[in-house]
Structures are given as C-alpha cells and as structure tokens.
Amino acid sequence: MAKRDYYEVLGVEKTATEVEIKSAYRRKAKECHPDLHPDDKQAEERFKELNEAYEVLCDGDKRARYDQFGFDGLNGQQGYDGFSGGFDGFGDIFSSFFGGGARQTRNGPERGDDLRYDLTITFEEAAFGCKKEFKFQRSEPCEDCRGTGAKPGTSPEKCSVCHGTGTVRGVQNSLFGQVVTQRPCSACGGTGQIIKEKCPKCGGRGRVRATRTASVNIPAGIDDGQIMTLSGQGERGVRGGPAGDLYVYIHVKPHKLFKREGYNLYCEIPLSFTQAALGGEIEIPTIEGPMKHTIPEGTQTDTEFRFKGKGVQMLRSSGKGDLYVKVRVDVPKRLTDQQKELLRQFEDSLSGKEYETRKSFFERMKDYFTEKDGK
C-alpha cells in the first residue's frame, strides 16, 4: 500500500504549528488506538501510520527534510517496517485521554522516594566549609523476609484473580465505543502476589524503618537555604528499583557581628566622639580574626569602609567577597558636671568652620528663608 502524505494522515495543513500537530494527533489517536479496538488490524495499522506521521512532523529536523525531499529525505529512517515509536512510546499521551495508565502495573521495579533532611550549621562552618555527620531514617527491605513480606520459610503466592499481572481488564462503553481498561487488582493491591503468612518483623510490608548515618562535605561559601544532594541515600527501591536521593537543606545560624549578602559581609562598629574627631587606629572584626585599621580624623557617623577579599569564600572559586564596615558615632550620656563644662568650653572655642556638614546645612537654610521672604 502506498504511503499517504503525513500532513494528510494527521489532517493538518503544511503550515500547521507544533501545537496544532499535537492536537490533531491526540484527536485522531482516540479514534484508532488499539486499546479501544482490540483485535482490529485495520485500526492497528491506522494507529501505526498516525504515529509515524507524528514522529516526523513533531521533530523540526525531520519535518524540514520531509518538506524538502518527501519520503526520500528521511533516508530510510521512517517507514511502517522501521517505525521506532511503537505503541508503548505514546502511552503517556494515551493515558492523558482517559485519566490513567492503561498499561501500568505495580509489580515491576519502583524507584524509592526522595528524602529531606534539615541540617543547621554555624556561620563559620558555612564560610569556611566543614564535614558533618547526621542520623536519619529511611525505609529498607526487611532482612528477615528479604523484602517479600512473607514469613521466613514461606513465599508469596501468585494472585488467582489477576494471575500475577497486578491488573484486571474491563470493558466499558464510551463515546468512542467500547473501551478496554486496566486497573490495579483489588485482591492483591496491584502487586500480583498474595501473602498468606506475613513476616512478623515487617507485618507483611516487606520494609522496615532503619536509622542510618550519612556524612556530607559542606563546601566553603555555602549559604542559608541551599540544598545538597546525596544520590542514592533516599528510600530503598522496591522490587529491584533504584534508591531515591537524600536532599540536605542547609540552615545557617545568624552571626552576632556580621550580616551576609551573597559573598559580602556587613558590620557596624561604634566610635567614640573623640575617635571620630581625632581619628586613629581602631580594631576591625573579620571572620578570620581582628585586624587594625586607621580611620581619618573627622570621620562622620555612617561612614562605610570597604575591605576587599575579607568576605566569604566563593563556591567553587578561589575568590572572596568583601567586608563593609559602617561606623556609628556613639554620643556619650550621663556626663558629669565637669565633663559638661569641658564640652561647653570646647564648643565655645570653635569658630563653626570645623563643622562642614553643619555649616552647609545652615547656609542652605538661610538661603531658603531669604528666598521665601523675598517673594
């Protein structure tokens, strides 16, 4: 039988978009899917033809070659005899039509579930990196019954209802005619096996809770809220399936002195009135220890100093962030009468030129009111 044009098979124009092609495929797949027409060879051939057309037109490269050279442009990659999709390759699309996997069973290998562990570390551990060990719980195959759920010395028996398949078939009428459906077997819970004598240790579940110890290397520079993955450390798989993963959520304790933004650190330190006025050497805290720094005389409150490379180590890099130190002038309180008199004498000795910010403010205020009165 001669091949039909792929656009004709799907019932779309050559200018059809990918969305239109997919929509046409889904619509026509309902009409000829083999599960809807068991033992209907014509429906099976139409479905194979439909899948072949869809496999080409939903692929940009294959579609371009087909549009330019026709079937010859596919170089034998497609054809009824060489169709690569098969029926099972479109199981997800078909199951979306009817709300369930018609071909899925519960007696095959299953991947274990992923687990989460919340790990709290100190600010310094996050900045410099560390190795941490912790205990967590996960489900594992029962050692007594080797995961079968049956009492040691016995074995599960094949379910007589589903004959070990884990599913039962049924026929129901729909808009498309008779639909053959599959559902998990209620007699065995979809496992295909019946356990008459349950394992005392696991109660027939085939799995037990176990406490395990894991270790994780925390890299320098990790931040609060980041996640580390320990592959294969999650729940054990079922019936030979792979294990899940263990996701370690990092929580970093706040620091007494520093606040972190990215790889930069921020800190505020108080200065006495005398230190700010006269300047001099002060001690600056860093995560690696205190260091000396000379501030200039006349340093104003909220002045910020930047120290390059004194921040946090960058992840997977030799670089470091910066440290920003903001100074705050701490005005003295509860002065003695003698101290107050000395400050008055000091204030009287000033000409006003010493206060740059104050001088600028009062000049601007004077100009403002002069302009206001002149209007």
Side-chain angles (χ1 to χ4, degrees), residues 105-225:
T105 62
R106 295 181 55 192
N107 57 357
E110 292 183 17
R111 181 181 183 275
D113 292 334
D114 295 327
L115 295 177
R116 168 175 175 160
Y117 185 87
D118 292 270
L119 179 64
T120 300
I121 60 177
T122 66
F123 194 92
E124 289 78 9
E125 288 174 330
F128 298 111
C130 61
K131 183 176 182 179
K132 303 290 286 187
E133 285 192 351
F134 58 90
K135 295 183 182 298
F136 68 101
Q137 287 194 328
R138 69 186 180 195
S139 295
E140 298 184 350
C142 174
E143 294 182 355
D144 286 10
C145 66
R146 298 183 180 181
T148 65
K151 180 180 178 180
T154 67
S155 300
E157 298 179 3
K158 182 186 293 186
C159 177
S160 59
V161 176
C162 65
H163 306 290
T165 64
T167 60
V168 292
R169 296 171 66 88
V171 179
Q172 64 183 37
N173 295 321
S174 72
L175 294 175
F176 309 107
Q178 286 190 329
V179 180
V180 178
T181 62
Q182 294 188 40
R183 57 180 176 80
C185 175
S186 59
C188 64
T191 64
Q193 297 178 327
I194 298 293
I195 300 175
K196 291 188 175 181
E197 294 187 72
K198 297 181 179 180
C199 171
K201 184 176 182 180
C202 66
R205 293 183 297 273
R207 301 168 70 80
V208 294
R209 298 293 289 174
T211 300
R212 295 297 179 220
T213 300
S215 63
V216 58
N217 291 315
I218 306 292
I222 200 167
D223 205 353
D224 184 75

Side-chain angles (χ1 to χ4, degrees), residues 38 44 54 64 78 98 159 192 197 223 248 268 288 349:
E44 182 176 325
Y54 178 74
Q78 297 296 133
F98 302 101
C159 177
E197 294 187 72
D223 205 353
V248 182
E268 292 185 359
E288 297 175 342
S349 69

Side-chain angles (χ1 to χ4, degrees), residues 109-113 232 234-245:
E110 292 183 17
R111 181 181 183 275
D113 292 334
E235 300 278 15
R236 304 294 87 181
V238 179
R239 294 180 291 277
D245 297 330

